[in-house]
Amino acid sequence: MSQKPIMVTRSSMPPFEEYVDEIRELWDSHWLTNMGAKHQELERALKDRLGIENVCLFTNGHNALECILEALDLRGEVITTPYTFASTTHAITRKGLTPVFADIRMSDYTLDPESIEKLITPRTCAIVPVHVYGGLCDIDAIQRIADEHGLKVIYDAAHAFGVERDGVSAASFGDASMFSFHATKVFNTIEGGAVCFKDPALYNVLNQWKNFGITSTETVEYVGGNAKMNVFCAAMGICNLRHLDEEIAKRKLVYERYVERLGNIPGIKLNEIPENVTYNYAYFPVLFDENVFGATRDDVYATLMTVDIHPRKYFYPLVNDFDCYRSVYSSDRTPVAKYVADRILTLPMYADLALEDVDRICDLVLSCQK
Ligand SMILES: *Cc1c(COP(=O)(O)O)cnc(C)c1O
């Protein structure tokens, strides 16, 4: 049994030789970025894998989200969730839009459609929901609301690569979906991200936004940024994509062991995977009800940390409690999100996590029970 530190995640990497083979030709081409051959190859591979028509690569998921918000030319209020990573809200705010926080639902911690509806005003232009932990939002209800009020829907699908509903990829919903290919995600390009989108006309616009707003050699039409994925990252993506199914299969074994050990414990709530969803086993969130379990989330966190096991309080604190937002917002207005953020712990989850280590983690979690 390994007693090395166990982090919450560990990046997937292809065999070293496979990556070296993939980048060898770059020493011939000397074309390292600016939509080089590997960049195009990864876009094609992603279209195949996700069964979609339109994808545009970026340096990271955050820049991808900023660029799609710019490309859609949005103005006003954007309804979103406080139960997410800083990136979602920061992207909205940095693009001059006003985030408006709706509450989440208890079942899977994604946006509650009823809560969204109550917050719509004449200034609302879009909804930015998050597929939290790779669990899909109530896509149909959200689309109905958007259609009724003429709103755009941009999913933060950073957690949802490889997730499908009835065989349809998470990349297909709403007007657009942002994916993160950060080293800690199920599929990584070291750093990287993408936007998948409905309207094919957006492809050129996104490529221009990610390249300083340059529209031809002598024309610059937008005040764009720089968010181009380099070809070394694209090569990493091409390799990792080949191994994705194996990686997800290994994650599934870890997930199933956790469920076996923690699935029927009073005071512990796990997320359920709906029958028609193919999941990517991205995270293992556990919610502790201290009144039933007899110990708080923070007790469990401290117990694991003393033996060098590093779970994460993900997502805590809520975005509406961040120092940079709390003068304007309050988590009291999103009570379900507040309840969950105070009780959630994501346990270590990655393809190579040994099942003995899962058992050790579960033993420690259960030792906190009173
Ligand atoms: C990782 C993540 C992002 C940002 O992605 P980067 O590629 O790190 O910029 C955005 N939203 C969520 C929910 C994430 O988990």
Side-chain angles (χ1 to χ4, degrees), residues 57-274:
L57 295 174
F58 287 88
T59 41
N60 55 52
H62 180 81
N63 281 335
L65 186 54
E66 286 202 6
C67 274
I68 184 65
L69 294 175
E70 282 174 325
L72 290 171
D73 200 17
L74 300 171
R75 252 151 258 187
E77 296 173 359
V78 174
I79 298 177
T80 187
T81 173
Y83 194 73
T84 185
F85 184 55
S87 169
T88 322
T89 317
H90 284 359
I92 295 167
T93 307
R94 285 167 55 82
K95 291 301 118 192
L97 298 156
T98 306
V100 174
F101 294 110
D103 209 350
I104 60 172
R105 48 185 192 174
M106 200 57 208
S107 56
D108 59 5
Y109 318 137
T110 64
L111 272 180
D112 176 359
E114 273 181 41
S115 176
I116 296 175
E117 225 160 0
K118 287 188 196 133
L119 293 169
I120 292 173
T121 73
R123 284 178 43 77
T124 309
C125 60
I127 308 171
V128 176
V130 179
H131 296 307
V132 180
Y133 307 128
L136 296 177
C137 298
D138 190 340
I139 291 153
D140 301 329
I142 290 171
Q143 197 59 52
R144 229 171 4 251
I145 295 168
D147 290 345
E148 198 174 312
H149 298 273
L151 309 175
K152 297 281 188 218
V153 182
I154 303 104
Y155 283 102
D156 178 334
H159 294 178
F161 193 86
V163 178
E164 296 178 356
R165 185 182 73 166
D166 295 317
V168 177
S169 144
S172 325
F173 304 117
D175 294 280
S177 296
M178 172 276 274
F179 289 92
S180 165
F181 305 149
H182 183 256
T184 55
K185 305 298 205 270
V186 169
F187 165 68
N188 85 77
T189 61
I190 308 172
E191 288 266 5
V195 176
C196 300
F197 47 95
K198 283 254 155 66
D199 176 6
L202 284 172
Y203 186 66
N204 282 338
V205 182
L206 284 168
N207 274 324
Q208 290 157 358
W209 273 109
K210 79 179 182 192
N211 190 27
F212 306 102
I214 297 170
T215 47
S216 72
T217 20
E218 296 183 3
T219 335
V220 181
E221 285 181 54
Y222 316 113
V223 186
N226 180 4
K228 305 183 296 292
M229 180 185 280
N230 71 64
V231 294
F232 286 80
C233 288
M236 190 68 160
I238 290 166
C239 294
N240 277 335
L241 202 54
R242 283 187 202 121
H243 299 281
L244 183 67
D245 289 333
E246 301 155 44
E247 292 288 296
I248 291 178
K250 290 204 270 176
R251 283 174 172 272
K252 183 165 189 266
L253 296 178
V254 172
Y255 181 94
E256 284 170 350
R257 186 66 147 246
Y258 271 130
V259 171
E260 202 182 304
R261 298 290 316 274
L262 303 177
N264 288 306
I265 308 296
I268 285 187
K269 176 185 171 290
L270 307 180
N271 284 31
E272 275 174 32
I273 307 164

